[in-house]
Amino acid sequence: MKEVLRPLWQLTASQASTLMQQGRLSSEQYVRACLDRIAEREPQVKAWAHVDADTALAQARACDAQPRRSALHGIPVGLKDVIRSFDQPTRFNSPIYANHRPNEDAHSAEVLRLHGAVILGKLQTLEFACGGQFPPTCNPWDLARTPGGSSSGSGAAVADGMVPLALGTQTGGSTIRPAAFCGAVGMKPTWGRIPFDGIKSFAAHLDTVGLFARSADDLALLLEAYALLETEPPGVPPLRQLKLAVCRTPLWAQAEAVAQYAFAAFLERLRAAGVQLSELAWPEELAAINTWQDEVMQDGGRSAFLPELLKAPELLHQDFKNKLSNHLQLTPAGMRLALDRIAQARMTFESAMGDADAVIGLSAPGPAPLGLHSQGMATFNRLWTALQVPCISLPLLWSPEGLPMGLQLIHRRYEDHRLVTVARTLESALYEERHPWN
Amino acid sequence: MKEVLRPLWQLTASQASTLMQQGRLSSEQYVRACLDRIAEREPQVKAWAHVDADTALAQARACDAQPRRSALHGIPVGLKDVIRSFDQPTRFNSPIYANHRPNEDAHSAEVLRLHGAVILGKLQTLEFACGGQFPPTCNPWDLARTPGGSSSGSGAAVADGMVPLALGTQTGGSTIRPAAFCGAVGMKPTWGRIPFDGIKSFAAHLDTVGLFARSADDLALLLEAYALLETEPPGVPPLRQLKLAVCRTPLWAQAEAVAQYAFAAFLERLRAAGVQLSELAWPEELAAINTWQDEVMQDGGRSAFLPELLKAPELLHQDFKNKLSNHLQLTPAGMRLALDRIAQARMTFESAMGDADAVIGLSAPGPAPLGLHSQGMATFNRLWTALQVPCISLPLLWSPEGLPMGLQLIHRRYEDHRLVTVARTLESALYEERHPWN
């Protein structure tokens, strides 16, 4: 009963879902609570590109009138504004698309809607999830700090209690980074498992749908909707038999002292809890992986933004024109080299994981930096995006001033289910609830 | 002047473009000629899922009234009916989408339109370019034979003079196969270089936009529109200094005798023309590549068709339900193995190419088979799709009864420009015009 005594908007999706199943909460009540939270906080946080209370409440009432379709039935979800939705604008934070209203849902949005989810609204993004214009979004923990990007609104809205679940994307660090900076739970599933249909693309080898929630249990709800849970339960051992491989990556020196310190202290907690820790040393010859990732990402932009260059060059930010003009002077041979080294790194990494139940590292080099015209660094994201492996950021590390920093969990490709199970184990043992509103 | 004495619909896009530039042909005339050809042949060939003469002519007249934007200005293009277009239905040959009218162009269609192309209509496809319902399309060379699939309408319409250019897709053999069976020029560019945005996806690792034309010159027009031509000209030598590597693949025994014979005879023609031929032996350990490709393709279907399973299971063909139920019992470890072996094969193949200007082989195991409830085999396509390398099919091989069989040219990833240049060299020296209407 204690959940219902808290403001309804504080419920996680799983908690709300249980209450709805028991007939103690309606979708309309829950959605209304989220809309109230948005009304209260949005003037400061600026997470939303579009919310239309009438459209959201109409969906909620329709859900309440129908038989429950899944655990997501009646649960509100926000969409990063590069993900199409048939009943709301999709603007990519680009002036070219100021009046853009596609009449279809993206695959990732439609699947949630077909499970009964309510599409609450569209969340702020860096222009085309890529560059150019920054969103106005602030970090709910400290309005002077960036929420991280490019899924800025998704991270901020979920962490701030405006919506329990959201979708984003990741091509560099666009899901794990804002999840870490905002203290949300974020997941980048294995590349390609959730189709990118209906989302503005940036770089085909890297573009991945991202998931945002306030608990690992809620991530599991989303994975279930996308049919990413295997039929065989993965059988992850309990905390004190868990084997985790610590991967500092070749870029550890770029982590801030506070992050290194919090990570080391967290490892001590894990050891004290009986977790077996090993070291996963990143092979010397793969040290340049972030450079290869960047080449693949920049090359993607050469074709992704061609329509915008052709139809409205005057409204396209210079960042995109640079990509289109191949300012890095990428060559066919250079692209093959980058892609093949990444392919080799994938095999090397996954083999080096050995019998570990997951790999752990930092989600970001530190807490959210000050200023809204930066997204922070994607140092500890680009390599995993390049490897196409599933990653989860959990709010288990904190700076001395109380800002969230993410612990990142990584697994082999296609082990999304296992990874979520490890995240649930860690969360249930080691997470103490901390929210911007506490 | 000889071009204009032929029926206008027989012009290639490049020929029509030159005439338009000279002010001797209008887009409206050319589009009208194509519409006349469609009116004449469509009752037999059944290539189109949708043509609306008024919409097409309105676009053509608008082009005629505007300054020329590119060599494609005023040129009609057909779209496989899995590629969205804002002004025409997109139905995927699925009863679920019988009334489907997206209000946006797919990226690949929009780029052509922004270059001034006229979107003439939508072309027949196998259901979702994947399985289930066959299209009614017939092979223009022999109406009792399949045009090949899944881009059945694209291959048939272009080869039969109904439209000079078309887009299709390839996930297994869906572009090169119908191009070969219909005697069109087909190209599967390097994976990912033309974004798949706005096209129904099937398997992310494989899905590729395909190009159809009646000459390699016309392919170059399309590549130019997509900015796939490098700034540096590739410098391919003339025919008698060309080095080609012959790759029979481990599946040569599956080629029909007529195809093997025509291929051998063609090699003699090449030798006689002074082309240096070498053998590219497919490494033993990579012999199972078509199986790995199939696993990756089937796994893609597990997520691609989830919305349709959720919203209209009764209208979804059993083929798709099988994919969604993981009837191959694919496992995470199995998927990684398939993907990593393919990645290794990519490096092995590209290294084995040595200093060859292109690799050549068969586009298909023989001419189009009899019957409309088969697409023919993708034996000589799946491996190249898996490798993500660019391929072109040229109508340079013919069966004794006069049916087209494709010669396939293959290159390393990102060498789309070089490959088209080699195709132009071969075409200009060795192609004799043969069309279904001759």
Side-chain angles (χ1 to χ4, degrees):
Chain A
M1 285 301 291
K2 70 174 195 288
E3 292 90 348
V4 288
L5 298 177
R6 306 196 313 197
L8 288 176
W9 53 262
Q10 289 187 13
L11 296 173
T12 64
S14 311
Q15 290 166 343
S17 182
T18 302
L19 291 173
M20 286 187 203
Q21 234 168 309
Q22 295 166 345
R24 295 161 66 200
L25 178 69
S26 71
S27 175
E28 185 176 354
Q29 286 174 305
Y30 190 41
V31 167
R32 219 176 259 287
C34 290
L35 290 168
D36 288 347
R37 175 70 178 169
I38 293 170
E40 180 196 340
R41 290 285 291 173
E42 180 62 5
Q44 288 81 52
V45 179
K46 306 184 184 83
W48 297 85
H50 177 86
V51 189
D52 166 358
D54 292 342
T55 303
L57 288 168
Q59 291 176 66
R61 281 189 289 265
C63 285
D64 287 331
Q66 288 159 9
R68 290 183 65 75
R69 279 182 260 170
S70 82
L72 279 179
H73 194 98
I75 304 295
V77 180
L79 302 181
K80 183 178 185 176
D81 203 19
V82 293
I83 303 176
R84 285 171 174 78
S85 51
F86 82 86
D87 53 358
Q88 298 164 26
T90 304
R91 298 194 183 111
F92 313 107
N93 192 19
S94 157
I96 301 173
Y97 293 93
N99 301 309
H100 196 55
R101 289 197 78 108
N103 64 356
E104 291 180 285
D105 281 343
H107 183 292
S108 49
E110 185 178 18
V111 165
L112 299 185
R113 223 193 273 262
L114 289 164
H115 279 97
V118 170
I119 303 300
L120 190 57
K122 308 306 282 281
L123 291 154
Q124 291 284 4
T125 176
L126 184 67
E127 190 170 348
F128 297 120
C130 171
Q133 180 163 291
F134 280 83
T137 314
C138 303
N139 192 308
W141 292 85
D142 176 350
L143 299 175
R145 292 176 191 270
T146 177
S150 65
S151 310
S152 320
S154 304
V158 168
D160 204 39
M162 298 181 186
V163 66
L165 301 173
L167 298 185
T169 62
Q170 177 155 322
T171 304
S174 284
T175 288
I176 297 297
R177 172 175 47 190
F181 287 173
C182 295
V185 175
M187 179 171 190
K188 179 188 86 63
T190 301
W191 181 90
R193 294 197 79 189
I194 303 179
F196 215 69
D197 292 46
I199 307 182
K200 176 73 179 167
S201 74
F202 169 8
H205 291 272
L206 304 167
D207 291 335
T208 314
V209 174
L211 313 175
F212 289 84
R214 280 199 301 278
S215 77
D217 284 352
D218 280 10
L219 275 188
L221 283 191
L222 289 169
L223 288 204
E224 193 175 10
Y226 291 116
L228 296 194
L229 301 189
E230 303 302 318
T231 38
E232 290 294 308
V236 173
L239 188 66
R240 65 178 175 288
Q241 289 163 34
L242 212 59
K243 293 179 195 165
L244 297 177
V246 177
C247 182
R248 291 187 172 80
T249 82
L251 307 153
W252 196 248
Q254 293 181 42
E256 295 172 30
V258 287
Q260 294 196 14
Y261 179 84
F263 188 72
F266 186 77
L267 295 187
E268 284 315 309
R269 282 184 75 192
L270 288 175
R271 269 194 206 96
V275 174
Q276 292 178 46
L277 298 178
S278 60
E279 290 284 328
L280 195 161
W282 193 264
E284 191 80 25
E285 71 272 20
L286 304 176
I289 185 160
N290 274 11
T291 306
W292 308 330
Q293 186 275 345
D294 192 50
E295 289 171 4
V296 173
M297 186 164 73
Q298 299 302 324
D299 179 71
R302 284 175 79 181
S303 19
F305 307 108
L306 186 54
E308 289 74 28
L309 182 77
L310 292 169
K311 67 185 165 188
E314 71 289 357
L315 296 178
L316 191 64
H317 195 281
Q318 188 59 40
D319 281 8
F320 300 98
K321 294 181 192 169
N322 290 345
K323 283 187 178 57
L324 287 155
S325 70
N326 190 15
H327 67 305
L328 294 183
Q329 301 193 279
L330 302 167
T331 62
M335 290 307 303
R336 290 193 291 275
L337 204 60
L339 288 167
D340 290 343
R341 282 170 165 170
I342 289 170
Q344 281 158 335
R346 205 169 274 146
M347 298 179 232
T348 304
F349 162 73
E350 291 183 347
S351 151
M353 250 191 85
D355 67 347
D357 295 304
V359 172
I360 59 171
L362 286 173
S363 299
L370 283 162
L372 300 184
H373 287 278
S374 141
Q375 308 192 103
M377 304 299 288
T379 317
F380 297 112
N381 311 121
R382 290 168 166 234
L383 72 172
W384 306 121
T385 311
L387 296 193
Q388 305 184 337
V389 294
C391 307
I392 291 177
S393 182
L394 290 178
L396 292 177
L397 307 180
W398 299 86
S399 80
E401 57 211 307
L403 290 170
M405 297 187 295
L407 176 80
Q408 191 166 200
L409 312 179
I410 305 112
H411 214 303
R412 296 183 180 93
R413 289 162 293 164
Y414 292 86
E415 301 291 2
D416 306 83
H417 190 182
R418 258 176 226 277
L419 189 64
V420 169
T421 309
V422 174
R424 292 170 93 165
T425 301
L426 288 180
E427 181 182 82
S428 67
L430 301 167
Y431 176 60
E432 296 146 32
E433 275 209 35
R434 293 170 82 158
H435 298 292
W437 60 79
N438 288 145
Chain B
M1 285 302 287
K2 70 172 193 288
E3 291 90 350
V4 287
L5 298 177
R6 307 198 308 198
L8 288 175
W9 54 262
Q10 290 188 13
L11 295 173
T12 64
S14 312
Q15 291 164 344
S17 181
T18 303
L19 292 172
M20 286 187 201
Q21 233 169 313
Q22 295 166 347
R24 295 160 67 203
L25 178 69
S26 71
S27 175
E28 184 175 355
Q29 287 173 305
Y30 190 40
V31 167
R32 222 177 258 287
C34 290
L35 289 169
D36 289 347
R37 176 69 177 166
I38 292 170
E40 179 195 344
R41 290 285 291 173
E42 180 61 5
Q44 287 81 53
V45 179
K46 306 184 183 86
W48 297 85
H50 177 87
V51 189
D52 165 359
D54 292 342
T55 304
L57 288 167
Q59 291 176 65
R61 281 188 290 263
C63 285
D64 286 333
Q66 288 158 10
R68 289 184 63 74
R69 281 182 257 169
S70 81
L72 280 180
H73 194 99
I75 304 294
V77 181
L79 303 181
K80 182 177 184 176
D81 203 19
V82 293
I83 303 176
R84 285 172 175 77
S85 52
F86 82 84
D87 55 357
Q88 296 163 27
T90 304
R91 299 194 183 111
F92 313 108
N93 192 17
S94 157
I96 302 174
Y97 293 94
N99 300 309
H100 196 56
R101 287 196 79 108
N103 64 357
E104 291 179 284
D105 280 344
H107 182 292
S108 49
E110 185 177 17
V111 165
L112 299 185
R113 223 193 272 262
L114 288 164
H115 279 97
V118 170
I119 304 300
L120 190 55
K122 309 306 281 279
L123 291 154
Q124 291 284 4
T125 175
L126 184 66
E127 190 170 347
F128 296 120
C130 171
Q133 180 163 289
F134 279 83
T137 314
C138 303
N139 192 307
W141 292 85
D142 175 351
L143 299 176
R145 291 176 191 270
T146 177
S150 64
S151 310
S152 321
S154 305
V158 168
D160 204 40
M162 298 182 187
V163 66
L165 301 173
L167 299 185
T169 63
Q170 178 156 323
T171 305
S174 284
T175 288
I176 297 297
R177 172 176 46 190
F181 287 172
C182 295
V185 175
M187 178 171 190
K188 179 189 85 64
T190 301
W191 181 90
R193 292 197 81 188
I194 303 179
F196 215 69
D197 293 44
I199 307 181
K200 176 74 181 169
S201 74
F202 169 9
H205 290 273
L206 305 167
D207 291 334
T208 314
V209 174
L211 314 175
F212 290 84
R214 280 199 301 278
S215 77
D217 284 353
D218 281 10
L219 274 188
L221 283 192
L222 289 170
L223 288 203
E224 193 174 10
Y226 291 116
L228 297 193
L229 301 188
E230 304 301 318
T231 37
E232 289 295 309
V236 173
L239 189 67
R240 65 175 176 290
Q241 289 163 35
L242 212 58
K243 294 179 194 162
L244 297 177
V246 177
C247 182
R248 291 186 172 81
T249 82
L251 306 153
W252 196 247
Q254 294 182 42
E256 295 170 32
V258 286
Q260 293 195 15
Y261 179 85
F263 187 72
F266 186 78
L267 295 186
E268 283 316 308
R269 283 185 74 193
L270 288 175
R271 269 194 206 94
V275 174
Q276 293 178 46
L277 297 178
S278 60
E279 290 285 328
L280 195 161
W282 193 264
E284 191 80 25
E285 71 274 19
L286 304 176
I289 185 159
N290 275 11
T291 306
W292 309 330
Q293 186 274 344
D294 192 49
E295 290 171 3
V296 172
M297 186 165 71
Q298 298 303 325
D299 178 71
R302 284 175 77 181
S303 20
F305 306 108
L306 186 53
E308 288 75 27
L309 182 75
L310 292 170
K311 68 185 165 187
E314 72 290 356
L315 296 177
L316 192 63
H317 195 282
Q318 187 61 39
D319 281 9
F320 300 98
K321 294 180 193 170
N322 291 344
K323 283 187 177 57
L324 287 156
S325 70
N326 190 17
H327 67 305
L328 293 184
Q329 300 193 280
L330 302 166
T331 63
M335 290 307 303
R336 290 193 292 275
L337 202 62
L339 288 166
D340 291 343
R341 282 171 165 169
I342 288 169
Q344 280 159 334
R346 205 170 273 146
M347 299 179 231
T348 304
F349 163 73
E350 291 184 348
S351 152
M353 251 191 83
D355 67 348
D357 295 304
V359 172
I360 58 170
L362 285 173
S363 298
L370 282 164
L372 300 183
H373 287 277
S374 141
Q375 308 192 103
M377 303 299 288
T379 317
F380 297 112
N381 311 121
R382 289 168 166 235
L383 72 172
W384 306 122
T385 311
L387 296 192
Q388 305 185 335
V389 294
C391 308
I392 290 177
S393 182
L394 290 178
L396 292 177
L397 307 181
W398 299 86
S399 79
E401 58 211 308
L403 290 170
M405 296 187 295
L407 177 80
Q408 191 165 201
L409 312 178
I410 305 114
H411 213 303
R412 296 183 180 93
R413 288 162 295 163
Y414 291 85
E415 300 291 1
D416 306 83
H417 190 182
R418 257 175 226 276
L419 188 64
V420 168
T421 309
V422 175
R424 291 170 93 164
T425 301
L426 289 180
E427 180 182 83
S428 68
L430 301 167
Y431 176 60
E432 297 146 31
E433 275 210 34
R434 293 169 83 158
H435 298 291
W437 59 79
N438 287 148

